[in-house]
Amino acid sequence: MNFERNVCPIMKRITLLNFFLILAQSSAQTEQLVSCASQKCVERTSSATAFVSEDSTYGVRCCSDTEISYFQPASTDCPNLWVYSRDDSTSDAECVRDATYSDAVAICDAHGARLCTFEENLDDCTRPAK
């Protein structure tokens, strides 16, 4: 399946900071890490990452180190990485925009993938999933 024409709108916008954030893999217990979804976001903000309460909701990008048929290949600078930001594998699947950290982990697990790291987001590896 090719989702290039079915691009998700911006994941979530914090108006005050003009900060476009998505959840990122984290080991924190009571707070979770969110990061800019791309380098373009970093250029517009003073901070590329932030910690938020674990019940906050943001967009999700899932990553896999092995190919999953409906995932998009990551950018060329990120070999052997496949990315996805939708709730299921159908062509009319919706982008996940409002998930808690535990929901995001469960969504990615259901795809057989993992939550992308903030490094993968900031290095623009996950942009094809938008």
Side-chain angles (χ1 to χ4, degrees), residues 6-62:
N6 191 9
V7 175
C8 294
I10 295 168
M11 294 298 193
K12 184 164 184 173
R13 181 177 180 161
I14 297 176
T15 308
L16 180 63
L17 299 174
N18 195 27
F19 206 11
F20 304 100
L21 300 173
I22 57 177
L23 289 161
Q25 195 174 54
S26 172
S27 60
Q29 295 296 318
T30 59
E31 293 185 320
Q32 298 305 327
L33 180 67
V34 291
S35 71
C36 277
S38 68
Q39 192 59 40
K40 186 175 182 179
C41 167
V42 174
E43 293 166 4
R44 294 179 179 173
T45 63
S46 60
S47 176
T49 61
F51 281 95
V52 297
S53 68
E54 64 185 347
D55 59 348
S56 297
T57 60
Y58 290 92
V60 176
R61 289 198 179 152
C62 300

Side-chain angles (χ1 to χ4, degrees), residues 4 11 19 35 63 69 86 91 95 97 99 110 115 127 130:
E4 289 179 321
M11 294 298 193
F19 206 11
S35 71
C63 285
S69 64
R86 299 179 185 277
S91 60
C95 288
R97 292 186 211 60
L115 200 55
R127 281 192 77 145
K130 64 179 180 174

Side-chain angles (χ1 to χ4, degrees), residues 45-113:
T45 63
S46 60
S47 176
T49 61
F51 281 95
V52 297
S53 68
E54 64 185 347
D55 59 348
S56 297
T57 60
Y58 290 92
V60 176
R61 289 198 179 152
C62 300
C63 285
S64 177
D65 300 313
T66 57
E67 185 174 359
I68 297 175
S69 64
Y70 53 91
F71 275 42
Q72 296 291 315
S75 63
T76 56
D77 293 338
C78 309
N80 302 315
L81 186 68
W82 289 263
V83 297
Y84 200 63
S85 61
R86 299 179 185 277
D87 57 1
D88 65 40
S89 61
T90 62
S91 60
D92 61 346
E94 295 288 325
C95 288
V96 180
R97 292 186 211 60
D98 292 311
T100 64
Y101 182 80
S102 59
D103 292 340
V105 170
I107 289 165
C108 293
D109 282 348
H111 288 298

